[in-house]
Amino acid sequence: MGDGKSVNVWNDPWLCSPENSYVRTPLPNGLENLNVNDLLENSQVAWNYNLIHEIFLLIDAQNILAMPIFLDHS
């Protein structure tokens, strides 16, 4: 997934879920172009917990927050 800047939250399979790698949350108006990196805190080293719980169904929020964040130092 890299830095998540080119991974669309709604259209790309990016979740680490054995049942479904796509989010199940209905697409909210105005968030069509939301990318995975938009779900990170400004520091880019942690998920934005409040934003994720505000946007996503509980199952998606849990799957997202369980994913580790890897920084590319190259």
Side-chain angles (χ1 to χ4, degrees):
M1 176 168 42
D3 61 10
K5 290 181 180 176
S6 62
V7 180
N8 183 276
V9 167
W10 312 106
N11 298 321
D12 295 323
W14 63 279
L15 293 178
C16 296
S17 171
E19 303 95 39
N20 185 3
S21 57
Y22 291 89
V23 295
R24 298 173 184 166
T25 303
L27 172 61
N29 289 332
L31 295 180
E32 296 84 5
N33 297 317
L34 189 70
N35 290 328
V36 172
N37 73 310
D38 297 324
L39 301 177
L40 298 173
E41 293 282 355
N42 290 335
S43 64
Q44 301 293 302
V45 296
W47 294 112
N48 186 328
Y49 181 88
N50 291 333
L51 177 65
I52 290 167
H53 276 285
E54 182 179 315
I55 295 174
F56 296 96
L57 296 173
L58 182 59
I59 187 71
D60 287 334
Q62 290 172 335
N63 285 331
I64 294 167
L65 294 171
M67 292 175 59
I69 297 171
F70 298 102
L71 299 177
D72 183 8
H73 295 290
S74 54

